Amino acid sequence: MAFLKNIRTLSPDEINEWFLSKGEKKYRAKQVWEWIWKKHALSIDDMTNLSHELREEMKKEFSLPAISMYTSQHSHDGTIKAGFKTSDGNIMEGVLIPAEGRQTACVSCQVGCSLNCKFCATGYLGRIRNLSFDEIYDQVVFLNELALQTSGKKLSNVVYMGMGEPMLNYRNVMKSIERVTAEDGLGMSPRRITVSTSGVSKMIKQLGDDGVKFNLAVSLHAAFDEKRSRIMPINDKNNIASLVEALNYFYEKTQNEITFEYILFKDFNDSLKDADQLIKLYRKIPVKLINVIEYNPIENAHFEKPELNVIHRFMDYLAAHKVNTRLRLSRGKDIDAACGQLANKAAKAENV
Ligand code: SAH
Ligand code: SF4
């Protein structure tokens, strides 16, 4: 079979040229562009304002390997977890998180992840493959449709906090954000987008060089190198000092303040000594907020979440030191929709 080119990798000019070479009018290219980026065509046959013959002609050269949404699970708290399948049969997940005045989509950027964080279900899968920019974009589009169906409201925010490490699939993540923010895409503001990274220093600097306008969140989870390395092997080559340098560079270039994510693990990083170290770090970098996150227990790991009074002691200590902080209780627990829990269930579903 002839190699078919993914039509979504073509630029408007390239699509234009193709139609002109077939003796077609220019507006055909515009129609196709709308189908692939605005009207969410899932196949070339979906493009119903093109003649059957023309679609057949296109299918000889192009493919449209869209992802599909094969399941959705609704939580009591309104969170909806969506299972997605790529055209080559890989599965990943996204989550729609409704809140007061917000509809947030959480999307995946890789199938699995190579970074092996000890508390994260995705980390136990290993990296299966990167998602292409259109596969990432499609998740946002599906979750936007889900938001419209369930609440009548469009997505207000997108977070890259599903499966995978965005900084290790840099080009596709950047390109997907270009489509999410483009007028002829979803037209969202980059201020409404947050990319979360476990801290790949070199790529954080690259974000600075690229002058990005979206928000950056860093999964810190421990403010001492030795502890961080124990739960996040990436810290061996990207230690906290290198992160401090990269994040200050990022801020200089973008004027964008950073968010820290800090999961509390019982008897591991929840003492006042840990809080003190976190505060010291907070003062070295323009951090706008520390999100203290409730740990979602996963099967493979032996961590636990602290008692409520320990969580509050930690929070109060940060607040007393004028740290801007918020406690994030996890959503969608009854359907395992919380970050870091997505992957194993997905992997299991695949095996049945
Ligand atoms: N790879 C990126 C983004 C995906 S993970 C990163 O690590 O930042 C998204 C977030 O979920 C990260 O902050 C991650 O630390 C968090 N997470 C992973 N497993 C978790 C768990 N079991 N409980 C709570 N948060 C978890
Ligand atoms: Fe990968 Fe992020 Fe999970 Fe770590 S927390 S294994 S970087 S997805």
Side-chain angles (χ1 to χ4, degrees), residues 113 117 119-121 160-166 196-198 217-219 221 232 261 263 293-298 339-341:
C113 181
C117 300
F119 48 82
C120 173
Y160 284 66
M161 292 190 186
M163 295 165 73
E165 169 50 51
S196 176
T197 177
S198 57
V218 175
S219 299
H221 308 328
M232 301 179 73
E261 312 284 334
I263 306 173
I293 304 170
E294 186 184 25
Y295 170 58
N296 279 295
I298 60 162
C339 292
Q341 275 199 329

